[in-house]
Amino acid sequence: MLYRFYDRTVGLSHQRRAALAILLGALSALALPPWHIVPLVVPAFTGLMWLLDAAAHSPRPLRAATATAWLFGVGYFLVGVHWIVEPFLVNAARHGGLIPFALASMAGGLALFPAATGLITVALARRFVLAGVAQALTFAAVWVVFEWVRSWLFTGFPWNLAGYVWAATPEVMQAAAFVGIFGVSLMTVVAGAVPAVLAGTGKRNWVAVLVFTIVLPAAVWVGGAQRLGSAPEYVADSMDGMVPDVRLRIVQANIPQRQKWISELRVVHLQRHVAMSRQATPNSSTQPPTHVIWPETAVPFFLAQNDAMRSVAAVAAPIGGALIAGALRRSDVPGNGQSWNSAHAITGDGRIAMSYDKVHLVPFGEYVPLRGILPLDKLVPNQGDVSAGVGRQTLAVPGLPPVSPLICYEAIFPGAVVRRDAQPGWLLNLTNDAWFGTFAGPQQHFAIAVTRAVEEGLPLVRAANTGISAVIDPYGRPVAMLGLGVEGVIDSGLPRMLPSLTPYARWGNALPAGLLGIVTLLVVALRVGGRYSMQ
């Protein structure tokens, strides 16, 4: 039966193969948040392997393989990052005409990484006579290498890595504490690609699928379930497992992006945050907040230079505690003109105790690459580019354990969310996902940020303007959460960090690199295996 499916696949016309490649890519994206249809990775990657095998036997194999994998990537990213159109709709009259260009360039540009994967996989298969399981493992290894390259090339965009298909399966995601998200991606792509060998014959093919597609993910799930089974419970209203004498209030004001920067409403927005910060706790027996947290750019003023607005914001700071708020920061040097996307810790007397400036900036959101050459401007309304901060920081906010602040999408970069020489006790993610609508973008961003908590073994506190705000324990489980499009506050204790560093926090990407080494050894051992090409 599978032979017939394979035979029909390779026998399609070029146009139908191209359409099928796009369809398979789109299908694979539906395994990601917010859809979570994980089994789709099997037909998607198996189909791609068959198409690559057909390309390998075409008159121009490398060109055909590159085009096939690029089309798969186009489908993958068209569905996976379709939310990129949302920022252009905030001011549709000004930016709406750029939507087709933005979506096409985003999907087509990111698809170059799958294209490179297809090219190198077929090139290696031809050079070293790889086939069957060996070829599937090679494909998976190369795919993950290019996911890693995507995490840093041109400032990096490691969004929707294959491993995030397990975001709704916390048992499997526990593996990220040991091998990081790249290791989880490797397992995922292997599981999806190996069933392609079933188009061939022989019992060994069935054994390979059983091992790599069923037993391996099941074993990872069982290991994760055991880890969670022995983990302590963290309850928002209890002090068990929580940092003593710390009570957080996270404010989610749910201000639409179209209204956020309207001059006449800026003071109103600030007052709204203050009022929500000072509202009474629902349970009079519960400890009142010791610290209040507002999202990215919650304060639409330069606080350091605006004493009046800083005094208004300081009203939200609990006595003896602090308010942590996102706001733009401007240089005090006359004529400098620099500004930063910052997080401030403000005490009750209106003093800025400390600040953090965002390091990893969003292209076209906070600065324009090649400004002066590209005929484009930023999507945000303020003038000029935002400057990058000096580097990752660990801050000592009064009354709190040392914290690693992450503004907006700084939380998406594996292995780059803490200073290794100044270990924090928790992660703080301030973000404004109102830019990205109310569906896939914010949900994907949240799932990605939660994975950093698992990798690092640190609790994550997330304050988002329109959601998703949450307190996450060091195992990636929500302690308290506010969904999308909801106005409200979260009152919760701060979970303790794990008593020791996770293997990934200790060794970083050396661990998934070690897995790639093991896969390479397996490929060498299997290179004499039978082909699943049906010639």
Side-chain angles (χ1 to χ4, degrees), residues 206-231:
W206 286 98
V207 171
V209 173
L210 179 66
V211 170
F212 290 108
T213 304
I214 299 175
V215 173
L216 178 60
V220 172
W221 187 96
V222 170
Q226 291 180 338
R227 185 173 193 254
L228 290 177
S230 61

Side-chain angles (χ1 to χ4, degrees), residues 118-184:
L119 169 65
I120 293 176
T121 298
V122 171
L124 290 174
R126 289 170 58 84
R127 172 65 178 81
F128 296 105
V129 197
L130 303 178
V133 176
Q135 188 171 358
L137 292 177
T138 299
F139 169 83
V142 177
W143 179 282
V144 172
V145 167
F146 277 103
E147 283 195 339
W148 171 74
V149 172
R150 180 155 62 89
S151 74
W152 53 263
L153 188 65
F154 303 126
T155 78
F157 189 65
W159 196 281
N160 283 354
L161 306 179
Y164 290 125
V165 303
W166 303 101
T169 313
E171 294 85 358
V172 174
M173 289 306 292
Q174 297 308 301
F178 300 89
V179 294
I181 189 60
F182 294 118
V184 180

Side-chain angles (χ1 to χ4, degrees), residues 260-261 294-299 301-302 325-331 338-344 355-362 365-367 378 380 382 384-392 405-410 429-432 435:
K260 186 172 176 62
W261 294 99
W294 293 354
E296 175 190 18
T297 60
V299 182
F301 300 98
F302 292 108
L328 293 177
R329 187 175 75 85
R330 186 171 58 193
S331 174
Q338 277 188 296
S339 63
W340 297 266
N341 186 354
S342 304
H344 299 297
S355 298
Y356 164 75
D357 299 324
K358 185 179 179 184
V359 176
H360 217 126
L361 303 180
V362 180
E366 292 167 314
Y367 75 101
K378 297 189 306 174
V380 293
N382 58 302
D385 290 345
V386 174
S387 299
V390 295
R392 180 65 50 230
L406 306 164
I407 297 178
C408 189
Y409 89 148
E410 287 186 316
N429 184 205
L430 307 184
T431 188
N432 176 24
W435 280 106

Side-chain angles (χ1 to χ4, degrees), residues 47 91-92 105 131 136 138 189 212 260 320 335 403 407 432 441 480 513 521 527 529:
N91 187 345
S105 61
T138 299
V189 182
F212 290 108
K260 186 172 176 62
V403 58
I407 297 178
N432 176 24
L521 292 177
R527 61 175 297 188

Side-chain angles (χ1 to χ4, degrees), residues 2 6 54-55 58 94 110 149 217 238 245 272 300 324 391 393 441 523:
L2 285 174
Y6 170 84
S58 67
R94 182 178 180 183
L110 291 174
V149 172
S238 170
D245 304 320
R272 182 170 168 181
I324 302 176
Q393 301 287 322
V523 169

Side-chain angles (χ1 to χ4, degrees), residues 303-335:
L303 283 182
Q305 291 83 15
N306 195 322
D307 295 342
M309 293 300 101
R310 191 169 68 252
S311 297
V312 173
V315 174
I319 297 174
L323 162 69
I324 302 176
L328 293 177
R329 187 175 75 85
R330 186 171 58 193
S331 174
D332 291 325
V333 179

